[in-house]
Amino acid sequence: MTPSSSGAHRSADERRAQLLDAALDVLREHGLAGLTTRAVTARAGVTHGIFHYVFGSKAALVRALIDRELTGAAAAWGAATATDDLETALRQAVRAQLDIVRADPGHQAALFELIRAARDDADVSAAEWERRQYLAEIERQLVSWSDRGGVTWDAPVEHVAALVLSATDGVVQTWVADHDDARADASADLLARAVASLARPA
Amino acid sequence: MTPSSSGAHRSADERRAQLLDAALDVLREHGLAGLTTRAVTARAGVTHGIFHYVFGSKAALVRALIDRELTGAAAAWGAATATDDLETALRQAVRAQLDIVRADPGHQAALFELIRAARDDADVSAAEWERRQYLAEIERQLVSWSDRGGVTWDAPVEHVAALVLSATDGVVQTWVADHDDARADASADLLARAVASLARPA
DNA sequence: GTCTATAAGGGGATAGAC
DNA sequence: GTCTATCCCCTTATAGAC
């Protein structure tokens, strides 16, 4: 049988995955302030020293965590809806972002915190890269929707994409702060309407 | 002459103000992670023990800091511009928020961090109260602008206000993250245009 | 009432045992 | 190659000196 993962003498790669899982759990439950190397190893059921053998430093853990969690996250904006109506498509997209967070608020809040911390700490590239992926994906969708609806954007598409990303972030983060579902839904709907009004018949 | 504030045996109230000033400095320079009771007292040029004599606990300092810094902050939205054009007024208001942060990014970033930390920690009321003040102020402005411009909002005003607050927050925080002035300006302008399109002739 | 000296605990990291 | 025992620093908080 497969030995228990907390049993002694497992490969560094296995330890790595095990510790990353534990780190995410700790982060979700106790926030960034509670994310200590000792809490992670305790959660994983291994002795503390293993941590530095596997990751070398706490910063390396944070970097690895961001890398693992961000991979594929941009794809969420790409899950386009097949509708001809621009406003409806936009509303569904913004609501989808909101739903991701609602489905697992702790997870998302933890990621926000992590990315924010990583920004001033060291390796900025991960967070920046993520944002660029998001922007490119949104821009692609905006063009796709306007083409399908037979309209054209009345402002540079990259500006519209930047606004959509920033504003959606704001709506999502407001929900994280107050958990007011009705207000978040209203904001999402209104945002879709407002942005849709930036397009004119081609 | 007035004795130096770091001289021995001053009143608790004076020490309190002195330590709050030092705490804000430390927060701006080293972030929340660097805000330790020792860093604060060192910055103020007093011995460490004084801290607990004055504040009792670190949490009390954070609460006091939030109280002091948030007072009057909502007024920023109230500094209305005297223009008849709704979109222009909105653009100036959003840009004003952006300018506040640009003028002193460290200060604003520090406040964000502080409020965020206080949320899960304990006294949520301060942050919530602030948000309500903002919303009320924005709502008041939206009505004032629509009245003056002879238009009416095509959606509940509180919904529009919520969107404006959330979206502006998103734009501001995006700037804090990337310091991209051009993109932030473009987003602000576009946000004003998009929101203005939610109003129709009365 | 104001402040100093000291305590008690938890943090990340490492040298070296197996 | 994998892990354990230990280190030393920095944190908040308090007991009691002035």
Side-chain angles (χ1 to χ4, degrees):
Chain A
M1 71 179 274
T2 315
S4 158
S5 58
S6 53
H9 274 277
R10 306 192 47 75
S11 84
D13 274 356
E14 282 170 294
R15 285 294 188 219
R16 191 184 168 83
Q18 183 184 5
L19 288 175
L20 280 174
D21 288 342
L24 192 59
D25 284 347
V26 170
L27 189 63
R28 291 175 46 160
E29 286 171 26
H30 306 289
L32 186 58
L35 185 69
T36 66
T37 61
R38 302 190 107 96
V40 170
T41 50
R43 179 65 175 236
V46 302
T47 57
H48 176 234
I50 289 177
F51 182 92
H52 281 86
Y53 168 61
V54 173
F55 286 107
S57 75
K58 185 183 175 180
L61 165 76
V62 171
R63 259 176 270 136
L65 212 45
I66 291 179
D67 279 352
R68 197 180 74 160
E69 295 301 314
L70 247 47
T71 300
W77 276 104
T81 54
T83 173
D84 283 354
D85 181 42
L86 177 58
E87 184 185 329
T88 304
L90 261 168
R91 182 174 58 241
Q92 289 180 357
V94 176
R95 288 236 192 184
Q97 292 296 116
L98 208 43
D99 286 341
I100 290 173
V101 179
R102 279 167 169 164
D104 195 348
H107 187 259
Q108 202 64 17
L111 277 190
F112 280 159
E113 224 175 335
L114 206 59
I115 292 170
R116 198 180 173 334
R119 226 193 296 283
D120 17 76
D121 192 56
D123 200 10
V124 134
S125 61
E128 289 295 316
W129 177 86
E130 177 214 16
R131 202 151 193 99
R132 258 185 241 117
Q133 294 295 110
Y134 280 16
L135 273 177
E137 198 55 57
I138 294 172
E139 210 172 314
R140 204 180 59 73
Q141 284 294 346
L142 289 175
V143 170
S144 154
W145 289 332
S146 58
D147 281 358
R148 189 193 290 252
V151 295
T152 180
W153 291 105
D154 204 22
V157 192
E158 64 263 32
H159 289 182
V160 181
L163 174 62
V164 168
L165 179 55
S166 293
T168 302
D169 258 18
V171 171
V172 167
Q173 292 192 41
T174 297
W175 183 87
V176 169
D178 64 16
H179 282 221
D180 186 330
D181 283 312
R183 187 149 73 193
D185 286 342
S187 290
D189 294 358
L190 222 46
L191 176 61
R193 244 173 80 192
V195 171
S197 74
L198 295 173
R200 299 183 181 278
Chain B
M1 72 180 273
T2 317
S4 157
S5 60
S6 54
H9 274 276
R10 305 191 48 75
S11 83
D13 274 356
E14 284 170 293
R15 286 293 188 218
R16 192 184 167 82
Q18 183 185 6
L19 287 174
L20 280 173
D21 288 342
L24 191 59
D25 285 348
V26 170
L27 189 63
R28 291 174 47 161
E29 287 172 24
H30 305 291
L32 186 59
L35 185 70
T36 66
T37 60
R38 300 193 104 94
V40 170
T41 50
R43 180 65 175 235
V46 302
T47 56
H48 176 234
I50 289 178
F51 183 91
H52 281 85
Y53 168 61
V54 173
F55 285 108
S57 74
K58 185 183 175 180
L61 165 75
V62 171
R63 259 177 268 135
L65 212 45
I66 290 179
D67 279 352
R68 196 179 77 159
E69 295 302 314
L70 247 48
T71 301
W77 276 103
T81 54
T83 173
D84 282 355
D85 182 43
L86 176 59
E87 183 185 329
T88 303
L90 261 168
R91 182 174 57 239
Q92 289 178 358
V94 176
R95 287 236 192 182
Q97 291 296 117
L98 209 43
D99 287 340
I100 290 173
V101 179
R102 280 166 168 165
D104 195 348
H107 188 259
Q108 201 63 18
L111 277 190
F112 280 159
E113 224 175 337
L114 206 59
I115 292 170
R116 201 185 174 329
R119 227 194 293 285
D120 19 77
D121 192 55
D123 200 9
V124 136
S125 62
E128 288 296 317
W129 178 87
E130 179 213 15
R131 202 152 193 97
R132 259 184 240 117
Q133 293 296 109
Y134 280 15
L135 272 177
E137 197 57 56
I138 294 173
E139 210 172 312
R140 203 180 59 74
Q141 284 295 345
L142 289 175
V143 170
S144 154
W145 289 331
S146 59
D147 282 356
R148 187 192 291 252
V151 297
T152 179
W153 291 105
D154 204 22
V157 192
E158 64 263 32
H159 288 183
V160 181
L163 173 61
V164 168
L165 180 55
S166 292
T168 303
D169 258 19
V171 171
V172 167
Q173 292 193 40
T174 297
W175 183 87
V176 169
D178 63 17
H179 282 220
D180 186 328
D181 283 311
R183 186 149 71 193
D185 286 342
S187 289
D189 293 357
L190 221 46
L191 176 61
R193 245 173 81 191
V195 172
S197 75
L198 295 172
R200 299 183 182 278

